[in-house]
Amino acid sequence: MTLNDIKAFVEAEIGVPPSAQMFLKDGMPVTDTSMTLAQFNVQEGDLIAMAIHATPPRRRPAQGTPSGQPAAPTLRSMNDTEQLRSHLLRDAAVMTGFRRQDPELAAAAQDPQRFHDLLEERLRHRDEMQREKEEQIALLEADPFNVDAQQKIEEMIRQDRVLENMQKAVEEFPEAFGKVTMLYIDVVVNGHPIKAFVDSGAQTTIMSPSAAERCGILRLVDKRFGGIAKGVGTAQILGRVHSAEIQIGQYNLASSFTVMEGKDVDLLLGLDMLKRHQMCIDLKKNCLRIENDEIPFLPESELPKMMEEVLENEPKVEGPGGSTIGTTTGTVIPGASSAGQQSGSGQWSASTAGQPSTTTPAGPSVSQPGANSSNFGEPRPITAESIAQVTELGFSREEAIAALRQAGGNVELAIGLLL
């Protein structure tokens, strides 16, 4: 038997291709694998040392195609670019995604030549990045026994696995990237309505100074209880209101409030109130129970606008398909690739670019006020009834709200977008 025969057995047993196998003799790689085991001086019971390349050597580029990529139709021609530009101008939703992902390219959609030049620049830059990556890998693989090179290869492989893991999550359970609606309820403090955030992780009930002033209890703050609150950050505690009336559902309850600056919510119901009045957070029924009274949590459409500011300002990372994902809320914002999916070689597909986009976003995207009002007429309010009409067809609540926002509250158009 020759060493090449052994390679074939190894491939059959563990699936490692022969090109990734390297026999070692005295710690050095064997270049001639056509020699027999006898020539290799292998005796009965001996062990043959073999190393496996972390990444198999890349095949040479096919004739006429750069970097070994298949000759697929791309947006390199003016005709294909014009199809994409026309699709952007026709589809307001796709244009919105382009504005988020590449504002400069979206702004150039009105000028055919400018749009073509910018798109060519983007594609050329991406090709250069891919080529540099392949060249770097080739240099690292040139010396398989260099420890630093192997560590760099290992890190590159790890990054690829991370991206594959994210892609799998987006495809199999996209709800993991959806924005979790926070738990808010309507309450009345000292006769003034206010939206309260239910937070069982907070030790005390906290109110912002502006909310305390609106409710007329800022004058009751005991400044002797002031100080500095420390946690993830620091915040100034102005003091404490020892007693004030709060109405939750049908109950009028006595409560104390710690007035603190630096909070994004007007009122935060902490664990002190929840335990004192034996409240129960029922996520199955989506309500806060106090004895026999069930106070429903507010839908996303009724949450304070400050939550949208959190979404806009949170750090984001690149996701699959040109999308971006919020690192705090996990919200997926579809990218410009909804106009044309990328082919397996990383090129834009011309046939996809000319077709209407039917891809549903993996999670609710951040709405931009007035973005669709000109397309769907006068915007309508998003109510619980309109959300229910959409969810009855099998869509999730987040998908329904996102579609209703995009359609300006029009139920029929929202259902059409989702379908």
Side-chain angles (χ1 to χ4, degrees):
M1 297 179 64
T2 66
L3 294 179
N4 286 329
D5 296 329
I6 299 295
K7 285 189 174 185
F9 279 112
V10 172
E11 182 181 21
E13 288 291 333
I14 62 175
V16 177
S19 59
Q21 303 176 33
M22 178 189 299
F23 291 109
L24 304 175
K25 184 175 180 61
D26 299 328
M28 299 300 294
V30 178
T31 56
D32 183 10
T33 56
S34 63
M35 67 172 61
T36 64
L37 295 182
Q39 294 172 329
F40 197 50
N41 197 24
V42 175
Q43 305 296 327
E44 183 70 25
D46 286 351
L47 295 178
I48 303 177
M50 187 189 72
I52 299 177
H53 284 291
T55 54
R58 280 152 179 74
R59 298 177 180 177
R60 291 184 177 181
Q63 192 68 21
T65 58
S67 303
Q69 295 175 351
T74 65
L75 288 178
R76 293 299 187 183
S77 68
M78 178 67 79
N79 183 43
D80 296 335
T81 306
E82 184 61 26
Q83 289 183 10
L84 174 60
R85 192 182 72 87
S86 301
H87 183 55
L88 283 177
L89 296 176
R90 288 196 309 267
D91 196 323
V94 176
M95 177 61 81
T96 301
F98 257 87
R99 287 196 183 100
R100 293 196 190 103
Q101 193 72 16
D102 195 333
E104 185 182 9
L105 187 61
Q110 302 295 337
D111 185 345
Q113 186 60 45
R114 173 66 175 163
F115 184 82
H116 178 268
D117 294 342
L118 282 176
L119 185 58
E120 276 293 310
E121 181 183 342
R122 303 295 192 272
L123 294 174
R124 186 165 52 251
H125 177 69
R126 186 199 59 205
D127 292 344
E128 290 175 357
M129 294 288 292
Q130 179 66 22
R131 186 163 54 252
E132 289 176 2
K133 180 180 179 181
E134 292 182 354
E135 291 174 354
Q136 183 181 10
I137 293 177
L139 289 174
L140 294 175
E141 290 176 347
D143 186 1
F145 299 100
N146 186 300
V147 176
D148 293 336
Q150 292 299 317
Q151 289 177 346
K152 291 180 181 179
I153 293 175
E154 180 185 8
E155 178 61 22
M156 296 173 73
I157 294 175
R158 191 191 72 82
Q159 290 291 347
D160 289 341
R161 298 293 86 78
V162 169
L163 293 177
E164 289 178 4
N165 185 260
M166 179 185 291
Q167 178 69 42
K168 179 181 178 182
V170 170
E171 293 176 354
E172 295 184 358
F173 49 99
E175 62 274 9
F177 295 91
K179 177 170 65 68
V180 178
T181 304
M182 307 304 285
L183 306 180
Y184 278 83
I185 60 173
D186 282 325
V187 301
V188 179
V189 178
N190 199 29
H192 293 78
I194 196 170
K195 297 183 187 298
F197 174 39
V198 181
D199 185 3
S200 60
Q203 184 177 8
T204 60
T205 297
I206 299 171
M207 179 177 285
S208 67
S210 59
E213 186 174 5
R214 290 200 311 271
C215 296
I217 60 175
L218 188 61
R219 55 187 175 82
L220 299 178
V221 172
D222 188 344
K223 296 183 179 180
R224 294 175 298 174
F225 288 78
I228 300 293
K230 295 183 178 180
V232 177
T234 60
Q236 179 70 36
I237 299 176
L238 301 185
R240 183 175 179 179
V241 176
H242 297 293
S243 179
E245 187 179 87
I246 179 172
Q247 180 181 346
I248 305 178
Q250 62 180 349
Y251 296 100
N252 290 323
L253 309 173
S255 176
S256 60
F257 302 102
T258 297
V259 180
M260 185 170 68
E261 295 178 343
K263 300 301 291 182
D264 292 330
V265 295
D266 289 335
L267 176 60
L268 187 149
L269 291 182
L271 195 59
D272 57 341
M273 277 287 290
L274 299 178
K275 293 190 69 173
R276 183 185 308 156
H277 300 289
Q278 298 296 295
M279 301 180 186
C280 178
I281 299 175
D282 192 335
L283 298 180
K284 185 176 183 179
K285 293 184 177 180
N286 196 39
C287 68
L288 179 69
R289 289 208 318 270
I290 305 178
E291 295 186 1
N292 295 326
D293 194 11
E294 296 181 353
I295 299 93
F297 292 121
L298 299 179
E300 185 180 10
S301 58
E302 299 180 20
L303 297 188
K305 295 299 181 183
M306 63 188 68
M307 294 304 297
E308 294 184 2
E309 297 177 3
V310 172
L311 288 173
E312 291 286 355
N313 298 326
E314 70 173 332
K316 297 177 177 62
V317 297
E318 293 184 2
S323 62
T324 56
I325 302 176
T327 58
T328 302
T329 63
T331 302
V332 173
I333 302 175
S337 61
S338 57
Q341 299 295 329
Q342 293 183 356
S343 64
S345 62
Q347 300 286 353
W348 289 77
S349 168
S351 59
T352 307
Q355 300 295 329
S357 173
T358 57
T359 304
T360 301
S365 61
V366 182
S367 63
Q368 294 183 351
N372 298 301
S373 59
S374 59
N375 299 317
F376 302 119
E378 188 68 19
R380 308 173 188 175
I382 299 176
T383 63
E385 289 76 17
S386 62
I387 296 174
Q389 292 179 19
V390 180
T391 55
E392 286 175 356
L393 298 178
F395 300 105
S396 68
R397 180 181 182 84
E398 288 77 14
E399 290 175 338
I401 293 174
L404 286 168
R405 284 180 173 176
Q406 188 175 355
N410 189 308
V411 176
E412 292 76 12
L413 284 175
I415 294 175
L417 289 172
L418 291 172
L419 292 176

